[in-house]
Amino acid sequence: MNMQNKKIAVLYVHGKGGNAAEAEHYKALFPDAEVTGLDYHTDLPWETNLEIENAVSELAARYDHVFLIANSIGAFYSMNADICEKLSHAYFISPMVDLEKLILNMMTWANVTEEDLKREKTIKTDFGEELSWEYLCYVREHPIKWTVPTDILRGSEDELSTAESIEHFIKKTNASLTVMQGGEHWFHTKEQMEFLDKWITDATARCFTSSQQR
């Protein structure tokens, strides 16, 4: 992957409750690239993946390399899209890599059985999440197949993207992991964002150095 004198685009895919404007933060980290955020309009992986596919395909048609930055559930949506061959590199922040386990945990918290969910189809929980039988079935029927060189950032106190699920994902994909001690699922404080910026800058430097040595 030769980066010299190449046109590069960076696509940012936000997490739950986020928005495309968050991409502005990353423009300073990629001064020579076009950085854009995807303001996706759905929250179902079988619909959101198509929005991501379209956005990546449009960028891939105009740029030599496309980088992806995906946050939380945005990483899961991205991995459900058919985009591996169009991406040069990916940066995942607190990625959701095991939705089945997360859904089953939420079912336990809400005292909901699989039989309950299958019968009711959707169940609203007291902690604000809606459980969906269709969603659970989709996750089980569409295991993640991710082949893009990827750097992952995780906070040690992240209870949604657990250490166990991340380690399992790394073994399958050979992704690189950086852990911020004391970091949370949502990187937002000054200290956390400074750590994030250094992580993504260092990861990009390694990526460019590697490309020049090939």
Side-chain angles (χ1 to χ4, degrees):
M1 180 174 62
N2 188 352
M3 297 290 186
Q4 290 184 322
N5 301 317
K6 298 295 185 179
K7 295 171 60 180
I8 299 173
V10 179
L11 179 67
Y12 174 78
V13 180
H14 64 79
K16 183 176 181 180
N19 57 69
E22 294 172 8
E24 290 292 321
H25 176 82
Y26 300 94
K27 289 185 176 181
L29 304 180
F30 296 90
D32 299 320
E34 177 185 330
V35 180
T36 59
L38 176 62
D39 191 15
Y40 53 85
H41 301 290
T42 61
D43 59 2
L44 298 173
W46 55 89
E47 295 178 350
T48 310
N49 63 347
L50 299 179
E51 295 188 65
I52 296 172
E53 285 176 25
N54 290 336
V56 171
S57 294
E58 191 274 333
L59 291 173
R62 297 190 291 117
Y63 291 86
D64 299 304
H65 295 290
V66 180
F67 289 2
L68 173 72
I69 303 174
N71 201 331
S72 188
I73 193 68
F76 174 72
Y77 292 152
S78 298
M79 288 188 288
N80 274 271
D82 184 16
I83 57 175
C84 286
E85 294 183 359
K86 297 182 177 69
L87 295 177
S88 296
H89 200 84
Y91 307 86
F92 285 169
I93 305 163
S94 307
M96 300 287 207
V97 297
D98 192 344
L99 261 291
E100 179 182 6
K101 182 177 180 180
L102 180 58
I103 293 170
L104 293 176
N105 284 342
M106 288 193 295
M107 289 169 61
T108 299
W109 302 337
N111 196 29
V112 172
T113 67
E114 287 201 30
E115 291 74 17
D116 294 334
L117 191 57
K118 184 176 181 180
R119 181 181 64 254
E120 300 296 331
K121 304 304 180 187
T122 60
I123 296 177
K124 291 185 178 181
T125 67
D126 293 337
F127 45 86
E129 297 292 339
E130 183 175 272
L131 300 170
S132 164
W133 177 250
E134 185 178 20
Y135 204 126
L136 177 59
C137 289
Y138 176 88
V139 168
R140 286 174 168 169
E141 294 167 4
H142 297 81
I144 291 172
K145 298 176 182 179
W146 189 247
T147 59
V148 179
T150 301
D151 281 277
I152 296 174
L153 175 62
R154 177 182 178 270
S156 63
E157 306 307 306
D158 189 344
E159 296 181 352
L160 296 178
S161 299
T162 64
E164 180 184 8
S165 62
I166 294 294
E167 289 295 338
H168 181 66
F169 178 79
I170 288 174
K171 289 180 181 178
K172 292 194 302 180
T173 63
N174 201 32
S176 175
L177 173 65
T178 297
V179 177
M180 179 183 180
Q181 294 302 316
E184 305 165 276
H185 183 73
W186 178 31
F187 279 72
H188 64 290
T189 68
K190 182 176 183 293
E191 180 184 11
Q192 290 166 355
M193 293 308 294
E194 288 176 349
F195 191 99
L196 184 154
D197 289 353
K198 186 178 187 306
W199 161 73
I200 207 166
T201 299
D202 291 347
T204 302
R206 289 195 303 271
C207 180
F208 274 68
T209 299
S210 176
S211 72
Q212 293 170 0
Q213 293 174 345
R214 293 173 187 171

